[in-house]
Structure formats: structure tokens, C-alpha cells
């Protein structure tokens, strides 16, 4: 009877090993806990563990491979098929729109385990089988007709299988195919989700940078169309913003945005807040508003009233919609597009005002407008907005942001550099209000001048100022024989007597003028008496 126990133990260990392998194939690697069980299972006896672990380590490639650390984003992205065309961790390169507006959510979704070995082969076969089923579902037969809904589901299953295998391009293609079929059947929410996922994959694909920009812009635009057909104005506007920023993906942060991409960004801002409701609509640099009728009479008040009513129906007042607009403004400030950034901040302020519940966020929006207007060198406009608009809000009067904006405007209006430095000091009375601003705006406060636009970075100024002097000294020809300089019609030199006479005559003339104005010495002595 004792001879049977080792046989049972080996059989049970083989069963546990297969169960762990299947679980790893479905849900990812088991990490460093071994293949004999999960972290929630009790520890097996030492004899059983010693008998099972060598065999499982040799047969399960997923368990043998170390699980990638969640902090190693670069290694996970390379596994997912990231490209070397766009540096991932370079702070001077514009990332993809999903990273700009998605934050930690987008990076967390990409951190998945990739199958290896036989598990990957089986998963690829499953994906191919789903692809063939989708193709068969769209085939017309004698007693059957195409079934787009079933085909879309099969394409989605194939895309999920390719995702587990780390096949970026195949997953992207099947996501697009599933989205197109769902769009044709009016399943707009599912189609938008597939297009958005495909756009995120396009950002980290191996394609060239121009193609990545084009695919990202097209897929996010399709997602915006799907959300708009569903009646989701907020999600449609957010997808439109991502589509616009897809055109500048991989661009240097210090470089100016080209006119086409800037026009698309400003159009995406209007999808949140129409221009008739935006007080900063005059700062728009490209394009015209979609609510302006070129054939309408400018003196016709009914047309303006109709446009205003239509704008109130289409404004987006969803929760956190203003944060997207402020993020757009911050990205434009980093690239020195101050007018377009003020247009975006004005849209965010209008969204908060239309919502009617915000207090702290609205105060920060007001002081952001003040800071950006002062950075543009327009103290008069900043003072007028502060008095006519900002101070009319009761909640803003007692806020820290109001005190900061007032001191900044007063210092720039009086051209008092000491007062300006005290107002924006990190240890001054407004340090709490400055800490609550966006990092881009906080840096812009330090660049405000008492007159003129905000200065550029000191590094660029020093380089530009030093180069001409160094070049001039290097290129200067050798010293030649001194020559007499040519002067343009010099005045004849006066003698000492003539100079004294001319000076006395000038003083006498000045005394006569002062006496005529009643400011002579005699009258002053009489007044003193």
C-alpha cells in the first residue's frame, strides 16, 4: 500500500501543474510564486514541492519567465511593440494623446502579461480560428446572409487573443474591423471603444511617425463620430481633442505647432464650448466659428440670438470637462501659443460658469486668465476682466486666487518690480495660491514682466546674445593701419570765451521764460516772505 502513495503524489502534482499552466495561459504568468499553486493556496509539504517544482519549471515557459515589474514601463511597451521612432521617456518630445489626457489610466491598461511558448502558439491558433469564423459569418450562402453582429464579436475575440500574445498590428487591424461592423449596426458605444483602443495601439506601433499621426487622428475622429451619433457630447469632444493632438505626436515641446494642427486644436476647443459663449473668442488664431453664418447680416440681432440659443444647447458641462480644456491650455503655454491658450482657458471658465456649482475651480480659472493675460503684456485687459467679470462673483472675493491676481495686476500697472517679485515669491503671502496652479502657469508667473510679454528661457537668450560677439571676434580681419575716421559735418569747436557767452545767453533766456510763467526768483522770495 505504501508503494501507491508516490504514484498518487506524482499524478496529483501533474494535475496541479496542468491546472497552473492553463490558468497562466488564460490570466497571465503566476510570478515568482511557482507553478504548483497561487498565492492564496496553502503551502504544500516539502516532499511534494520538491517533486513538482523541477518538472513544472521545465515544462511551463510562462512560469519560468520572470513576470515584468509594473514599474518597468519601457520593457512592457517594448513587449507590446513600441517603436524607437518616438522616444518614450524623453520629456522634450510630445507624447501621444492617450498619455496627455489619459494619465495613469492609459499606462495601467498597457501593463499586461504577454504569453510565451506553447501558450502563445495556442492563443494565436485561437485568434486565427475566430478570424475565420468572422469571415465565414460575413459570407452569403444559399440559406444564409451576412451577420455583421456575429462577425464583429468574432473579430473582437480575435483582437483580445492577439492582445494576450502582444501582437500590436494584428490586434489593431481586428479592432478596426470590429468597430466598422459595429458602426454599421448602430452599436456606437462598442464601435467607439474599439476605435479608441486601436488609436492607443497606433501610438506605440512600429509604424513611421507620419503614419502613426495619421492613424491616430483618423481613429480618434471615428470614435468622436460614434459618440456624437450616440448623443454623448462630452465623450465626442474629448475624442476630437485627442484626434487634434495626434497630429503633433512626437514633436518637440519647444517647437511651434503648425497652422493646420493648431486650427484642429482650436476646433476641438469649440466642441466643448461654442464661441458665442466664450468671452475669449477673439483670441482664436485660425478658422472661424461653426456658429457664424457668413451670409447673415451683422446688424441682425435675431441671427445672433439664434446662434446664442444654439450654443447654450451644445455646451458641454459634464463633470471634469473643464480639466481637459485646462490641460489643452497648459500644452499650448509650453509651446508659447499664448493667444490660443487664453482661448482654451476662456472656454474652461465658460464651462464652469454654465455648470453653476464650481467655486474653487472657478477661482483658479479666473486667476489663470489673469496670469496669462499679464504674460501677454496686456495689463489693461487683465484689469478690466478682473473688475468687470471676476469681482462680480461673490465666491471669488474671499479666495486666495483673488488676492494673487489683484497684487499681480497692481504691480504690473505701477511697474513696480519689487512688488511683482513679492507677489510671486515662493515664500510670500501667495504661496498657497501659486501651489494650486498648473505647473505651466506657475512657471509662467515667474516670467511675467512689468512691461511687455513674458520673457523666454534664459538659456536661449544667453546663447543668442553670446554667439554674435564670439563670431564677430573670430571673423574680424587683422588690424590694419589706422586711418582717419570720416565724420559727418562736425561742428566747429568753440573757444572758452565764446562758450561762456553762449552759456550766459542761454541762462538769461531761461530766466526770462521763468519770469513770464511766474516762476522767477523774485516772486518766490516774495512768497516766502
Amino acid at each position: 500500500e505504501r508503494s501507491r502513495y508516490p504514484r498518487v503524489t506524482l499524478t496529483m502534482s501533474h494535475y496541479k501543474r496542468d491546472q497552473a499552466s492553463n490558468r497562466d495561459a488564460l490570466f497571465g504568468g503566476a510570478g515568482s510564486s511557482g507553478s504548483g499553486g497561487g498565492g492564496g493556496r496553502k503551502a504544500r509539504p516539502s516532499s511534494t514541492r520538491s517533486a513538482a517544482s523541477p518538472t513544472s519549471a521545465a515544462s511551463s515557459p510562462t512560469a519560468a519567465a520572470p513576470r515584468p515589474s509594473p514599474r518597468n514601463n519601457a520593457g512592457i511597451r517594448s513587449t507590446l511593440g513600441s517603436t524607437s521612432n518616438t522616444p518614450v521617456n524623453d520629456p522634450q518630445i510630445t507624447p501621444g494623446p492617450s498619455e496627455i489626457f489619459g494619465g495613469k489610466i492609459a499606462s495601467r491598461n498597457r501593463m499586461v502579461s504577454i504569453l510565451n511558448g506553447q501558450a502563445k502558439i495556442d492563443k494565436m491558433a485561437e485568434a486565427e480560428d475566430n478570424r475565420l469564423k468572422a469571415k465565414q459569418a460575413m459570407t452569403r450562402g444559399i440559406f444564409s446572409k451576412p451577420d455583421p453582429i456575429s462577425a464583429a464579436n468574432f473579430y473582437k475575440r480575435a483582437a483580445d487573443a492577439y492582445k494576450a500574445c502582444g501582437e500590436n498590428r494584428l490586434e489593431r487591424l481586428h479592432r478596426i474591423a470590429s468597430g466598422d461592423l459595429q458602426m454599421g449596426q448602430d452599436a456606437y458605444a462598442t464601435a467607439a471603444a474599439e476605435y479608441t483602443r486601436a488609436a492607443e495601439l497606433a501610438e506605440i506601433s512600429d509604424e513611421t511617425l507620419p503614419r502613426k499621426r495619421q492613424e491616430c487622428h483618423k481613429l480618434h475622429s471615428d470614435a468622436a463620430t460614434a459618440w456624437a451619433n450616440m448623443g454623448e457630447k462630452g465623450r465626442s469632444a474629448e475624442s476630437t481633442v485627442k484626434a487634434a493632438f495626434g497630429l503633433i505626436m512626437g514633436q518637440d515641446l519647444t517647437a511651434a505647432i503648425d497652422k493646420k494642427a493648431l486650427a484642429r486644436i482650436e476646433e476641438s476647443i469649440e466642441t466643448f464650448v461654442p464661441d458665442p459663449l466664450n468671452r475669449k473668442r477673439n483670441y482664436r488664431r485660425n478658422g472661424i466659428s461653426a456658429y457664424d453664418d457668413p451670409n447673415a447680416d451683422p446688424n441682425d440681432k435675431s441671427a445672433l440670438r439664434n446662434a446664442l440659443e444654439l450654443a447654450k444647447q451644445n455646451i458641454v458641462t459634464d463633470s471634469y470637462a473643464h480639466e481637459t480644456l485646462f490641460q489643452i491650455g497648459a500644452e499650448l503655454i509650453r509651446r508659447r501659443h499664448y493667444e490660443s491658450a487664453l482661448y482654451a482657458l476662456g472656454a474652461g471658465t465658460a464651462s464652469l460658469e454654465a455648470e453653476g456649482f464650481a467655486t474653487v475651480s472657478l477661482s483658479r480659472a479666473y486667476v489663470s486668465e489673469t496670469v496669462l493675460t499679464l504674460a501677454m503684456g496686456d495689463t489693461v485687459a487683465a484689469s478690466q476682466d478682473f473688475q468687470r467679470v471676476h469681482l462680480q462673483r461673490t465666491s471669488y472675493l474671499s479666495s486666495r486666487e483673488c488676492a494673487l491676481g489683484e497684487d499681480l495686476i497692481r504691480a504690473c500697472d505701477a511697474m513696480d518690480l519689487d512688488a511683482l517679485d513679492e507677489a510671486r515669491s515662493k515664500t510670500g503671502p501667495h504661496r498657497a495660491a501659486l501651489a494650486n496652479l498648473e505647473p505651466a502657469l506657475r512657471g509662467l508667473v515667474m516670467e511675467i514682466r512689468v512691461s511687455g510679454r513674458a520673457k523666454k528661457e534664459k538659456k536661449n537668450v544667453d546663447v543668442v546674445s553670446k554667439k554674435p560677439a564670439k563670431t564677430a571676434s573670430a571673423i574680424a580681419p587683422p588690424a590694419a593701419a589706422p586711418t582717419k575716421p570720416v565724420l559727418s559735418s562736425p561742428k566747429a569747436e568753440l573757444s572758452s570765451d565764446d562758450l561762456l557767452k553762449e552759456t550766459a545767453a542761454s541762462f538769461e533766456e531761461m530766466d526770462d521764460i521763468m519770469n513770464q510763467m511766474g516762476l522767477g526768483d523774485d516772486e518766490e522770495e516774495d512768497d516766502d516772505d
Side-chain angles (χ1 to χ4, degrees), residues 279 353 366 384-393:
R279 288 193 306 270
E353 290 176 346
Y366 281 157
Q384 289 180 354
D385 290 341
F386 182 76
Q387 296 175 5
R388 299 177 182 178
V389 180
H390 301 170
L391 293 182
Q392 306 307 316
R393 182 74 58 169

Side-chain angles (χ1 to χ4, degrees), residues 133 168 171 175 185 225 227 276-277 280 307-308 320 339 342 366 375 379 389 397 442 520:
K133 289 180 180 179
N168 184 304
E171 181 187 356
R175 296 282 182 192
Q185 299 300 314
T225 303
W227 288 123
L277 299 176
K280 305 299 181 182
L308 185 61
Y320 308 107
E339 288 78 8
L342 187 57
Y366 281 157
T379 308
V389 180
L397 296 175
R442 198 182 311 137

Side-chain angles (χ1 to χ4, degrees), residues 313-328:
Q313 297 176 6
N314 294 326
I315 186 173
V316 177
T317 57
D318 297 345
S319 300
Y320 308 107
H322 63 280
E323 293 187 357
T324 303
L325 294 170
F326 292 154
Q327 185 66 30
I328 296 173

Side-chain angles (χ1 to χ4, degrees), residues 83 168 172 196-208 211-213 215-216 219 249:
T83 177
N168 184 304
R172 187 169 75 254
T196 303
R197 173 60 184 169
E200 293 177 357
L201 292 172
E203 296 177 14
I204 57 175
S205 64
D206 294 328
E207 306 292 342
T208 59
R211 183 176 178 84
K212 287 166 62 176
R213 290 176 178 174
E215 288 187 3
C216 187
L219 292 171
M249 180 176 52

Side-chain angles (χ1 to χ4, degrees), residues 480-515:
T483 58
K484 186 176 181 180
V486 180
L487 300 178
S488 58
S489 62
K491 294 183 179 180
E493 296 182 0
L494 298 176
S495 60
S496 59
D497 296 337
D498 295 337
L499 184 59
L500 291 175
K501 291 180 181 180
E502 186 176 355
T503 305
S506 300
F507 278 114
E508 290 178 0
E509 185 178 0
M510 292 177 61
D511 291 338
D512 294 338
I513 295 174
M514 297 289 287
N515 291 330

